[in-house]
Amino acid sequence: MTAKPFYVTTAISYPNGAPHIGHAYEMIATDAIARWKRLEGREVYFLTGTDEHGIKMVQTAAREGIPVRELADRNAGEFRKLAAALNLSNDDFIRTTEQRHHEASQAIWKKMADSHNGDIFESTYKGWYSVRDEAYFDEDELTEKDGKRFAPSGAEVEWVEEPTYFFRLSAYTQKLLDLYEANPDFIAPKERRNEIISFVKGGLQDLSVSRTTFDWGIPVPGAEGHVMYVWVDALTNYITGVGYPDEQSELFKKFWPADLHVIGKDIIRFHTVYWPAFLMSAGLPVQHRVFAHGFLTVDGQKMSKSLGNVIDPFHLVETFGPDAIRYFFLREVSFGNDGDYSNEKLVNRVNADLANNLGNLAQRSLSMINKNCEAQVPVFGALTEADNAIIAEVTEALAAAQQAMDQQLVHEATGAIIAALSSANNYFAGQEPWALKKTDPARMATVLYITADTVRRLAIPMQAFVPASAARLLDQLMVPADQRSLADAAAVNALVPGTELPVPQGVFARLEKPAE
Ligand code: ME8
């Protein structure tokens, strides 16, 4: 199969603190998308990492009384550990302090400076800056309270005046509008697209892209005392990760432009306005799509250190295991909308869908096969209407899940699979194979076969969401490693009668809500 390669990224996180569940959520969702594409048979490159420069890092390190590099090293290590703990399938982990990234950032800078419009020019910036957002704001975007001014995020802004280089963003207003027009899928969800279009229609101002008041950044080539504005180097990570500035490298040729940048809703402007403008200026193709997910709250409240409700994702993994957490977020949060985490919701959701639904169906059917069919995949006879109906329903659910995943509607994909599993449980209960044992053992064998093959067909897509557990289920069905793709899930009755099966082991334990 020569399916198109697929390049997907998360945002790169600021390592000014340890990762929180918002970071974990973005990693999990992007991993599910990457794994799904691999199940489609596509060659996937999945990049995540850390965004280590900028004034926020400098200020946090100063508060902690440690060198900024030490802060970056310590927390970048935590983000890398989190990726492993969540069983991410990322192909690389980029840190913006790496040499390769300095080279890429200086190379794109030179391309922008040398572009036909001369997109980079020297001037003086005077205006408002929010350190928490690492972003500039116009006066009319701010709110005022007690003599202080605040960005839309709620972060306080400060007045900045310094000689800087500017990027001629104003020259890209029409080019960006043309890009959105020609590519209706460039920004998802749709409401976000409308917001960005009206923002750009309002006219774009040139953007200050260097800083002179600190030195924790990538030096601007040929301009002593200037480091790049952190977002210029941060966005560039997406091309560094595939080999830029070597545009002839295998990785770059195969994977750029990126198919999908997965980010949170607070950083859409950077990804759908600045980044495509930088790329156009540098003469590089623009990414295909940006999907902005929502924000997570905890027990209905915004996560904050002062509220003391910041949840440590490592603790969650230790308590519930990675697949439970992954499944919860992928099913419970409608992708693109905000979502809420609570222990109770997690336990309820995982018990209902994984333990009682999928786990129960697998365990009951496999135990019966083990006891009554000599622990071999049973031989099936003529199919009844009920058999054909459940087979057809699974086929439809797989198609619906595929359609949902084509638009990153992960919650709909998991929902379609779980609905088919519920029907399969009803089928199993309705056919009463335990009663058929005495009256019609051949029919019992057929019911058990159809159920086991249904588990196979639905466990295959579940590999994207709960990779370790789904793999264990497929192992119990003795499905060969090279027969676990979505094309194999589409195939009906692919289990081979007579195949010896191991003694079944429960894959999904019921979770208990931890004591507060
Ligand atoms: O923005 N719920 O880094 P970051 C869901 N370095 N997602 C959340 C979240 C929450 N409560 N809080 C943050 C940055 N995120 C930049 C990105 S990309 C070239 C540079 C998401 O550590 C956030 O929206 O503040 C972003 O996508 C990611 O986590 C990293 O956030």
Side-chain angles (χ1 to χ4, degrees), residues 47-338:
L47 181 70
T48 189
T50 41
D51 179 5
E52 307 190 2
H53 296 122
I55 190 78
K56 176 152 71 176
M57 286 294 290
V58 173
Q59 290 184 355
T60 310
R63 271 199 300 276
E64 294 193 18
I66 56 172
V68 59
R69 187 169 293 280
E70 192 179 316
L71 176 72
D73 286 347
R74 188 223 304 152
N75 285 321
E78 293 297 300
F79 278 93
R80 211 189 272 271
K81 258 169 51 190
L82 182 62
L86 294 169
N87 200 2
L88 250 61
S89 62
N90 56 303
D91 296 281
D92 196 357
F93 185 102
I94 189 167
R95 296 184 57 183
T96 55
T97 45
E98 290 166 343
Q99 181 61 27
R100 58 172 172 161
H101 182 65
H102 280 234
E103 282 163 19
S105 302
Q106 293 187 328
I108 194 174
W109 181 286
K110 284 191 201 136
K111 282 274 169 68
M112 295 192 288
D114 297 344
S115 68
H116 59 286
N117 331 308
D119 278 336
I120 291 191
F121 60 93
E122 219 171 338
S123 183
T124 302
Y125 178 76
K126 284 189 196 149
W128 297 102
Y129 194 77
S130 154
V131 174
R132 195 167 91 200
D133 300 309
E134 296 281 19
Y136 301 94
F137 290 97
D138 292 339
E139 181 86 39
D140 60 12
E141 293 178 282
L142 306 175
T143 50
E144 218 185 315
K145 202 181 160 208
D146 304 331
K148 290 177 176 170
R149 285 185 172 78
F150 298 90
S153 66
E156 192 176 344
V157 294
E158 59 189 43
W159 183 257
V160 170
E161 251 183 73
E162 60 185 323
T164 64
Y165 286 93
F166 277 79
F167 173 75
R168 212 177 290 283
L169 186 61
S170 56
Y172 287 87
T173 308
Q174 193 53 47
K175 289 186 180 115
L176 287 166
L177 291 171
D178 293 345
L179 171 77
Y180 309 144
E181 172 84 26
N183 302 279
D185 295 329
F186 184 66
I187 308 172
K190 276 276 180 294
E191 312 82 74
R192 304 297 177 193
R193 169 185 152 85
N194 299 338
E195 282 165 24
I196 288 297
I197 290 176
S198 61
F199 169 72
V200 174
K201 275 194 176 148
L204 295 172
Q205 295 185 12
D206 293 337
L207 177 72
S208 167
V209 286
S210 75
R211 302 293 312 260
T212 43
T213 50
F214 61 94
D215 64 1
W216 179 246
I218 297 179
V220 170
E224 183 106 11
H226 287 257
V227 294
M228 292 178 199
Y229 168 41
V230 62
W231 272 101
V232 174
D233 105 63
L235 291 161
T236 301
N237 93 85
Y238 300 131
I239 50 177
T240 309
V242 287
Y244 190 80
D246 184 0
E247 295 181 47
Q248 295 314 311
S249 67
E250 278 306 305
L251 270 186
F252 195 85
K253 282 195 298 190
K254 189 180 281 177
F255 291 108
W256 192 258
D259 293 272
L260 180 67
H261 295 317
V262 177
I263 57 160
K265 65 178 184 180
D266 57 328
I267 54 173
I268 303 178
R269 207 183 272 184
F270 301 97
H271 283 81
T272 60
V273 181
Y274 300 175
W275 181 226
F278 295 165
L279 287 167
M280 287 188 229
S281 172
L284 292 168
V286 169
Q287 81 270 19
H288 289 303
R289 180 168 164 95
V290 175
F291 192 105
H293 61 73
F295 259 46
L296 291 184
T297 51
V298 173
D299 292 319
Q301 284 185 305
K302 198 175 156 182
M303 266 183 291
S304 84
K305 290 200 179 115
S306 53
L307 284 171
N309 65 346
V310 178
I311 292 197
D312 171 12
F314 292 104
H315 179 68
L316 278 192
V317 174
E318 277 161 29
T319 312
F320 300 115
D323 279 349
I325 296 156
R326 292 174 61 106
Y327 182 75
F328 171 75
F329 285 128
L330 297 171
R331 177 72 199 106
E332 184 88 11
V333 184
S334 137
F335 201 51
N337 292 337
D338 292 343

